Amino acid sequence: EVPARSAAEFLQVISDGHSERTTHITEANDSSSRSHAICQVFLRDPSSGKLKGKLTLVDLAGSERGSDTKSHNTQRRTESAEINTSLLSLKECIRALGQKKVRMYHTEAPSSL
């Protein structure tokens, strides 16, 4: 957790996190996210520190069709394949949660989440 005591501090924390993101030019997009990001905002009572609310923001790396990656170099094609694999893994996790499976062990692929 990174505390932010003002709107300006909060925006700086968001900016710092955004600067850590990886983007590259792809066939589909001039600035494609090549990494996943999760930002959780906790709202706490200033006097007690008690949690009053939580907002979770998720930005997933860009998924690309195989046909859009033909002119990419080997590194970019590998990266695209890994992103697509991690998105599939995430989809399966969400599906399992929707089916109310209490325990889930996912080992299909190395996680890049």
Side-chain angles (χ1 to χ4, degrees), residues 3-92:
R5 307 220 184 283
S6 68
E9 284 183 20
F10 176 74
L11 291 174
Q12 185 61 52
V13 170
I14 297 297
S15 179
D16 292 347
H18 182 69
S19 70
E20 296 295 321
R21 298 295 308 276
T22 301
T23 61
H24 289 291
I25 295 172
T26 65
E27 296 292 324
N29 196 332
D30 288 341
S31 180
S32 181
S33 293
R34 310 314 287 162
S35 61
H36 304 312
I38 299 173
C39 175
Q40 291 187 306
V41 179
F42 298 93
L43 301 175
R44 297 188 184 279
D45 182 292
S47 59
S48 68
K50 183 176 179 182
L51 184 65
K52 295 291 186 177
K54 179 172 88 170
L55 173 67
T56 301
L57 304 169
V58 179
D59 183 16
L60 301 175
S63 174
E64 296 184 9
R65 296 179 305 220
S67 61
D68 289 338
T69 65
K70 287 181 180 174
S71 67
H72 288 179
N73 63 28
T74 302
Q75 177 185 353
R76 205 63 68 232
R77 280 193 303 271
T78 300
E79 188 177 78
S80 293
E82 289 173 352
I83 288 169
N84 288 343
T85 299
S86 69
L87 291 172
L88 176 61
S89 297
L90 180 61
K91 179 189 82 164
E92 293 304 320

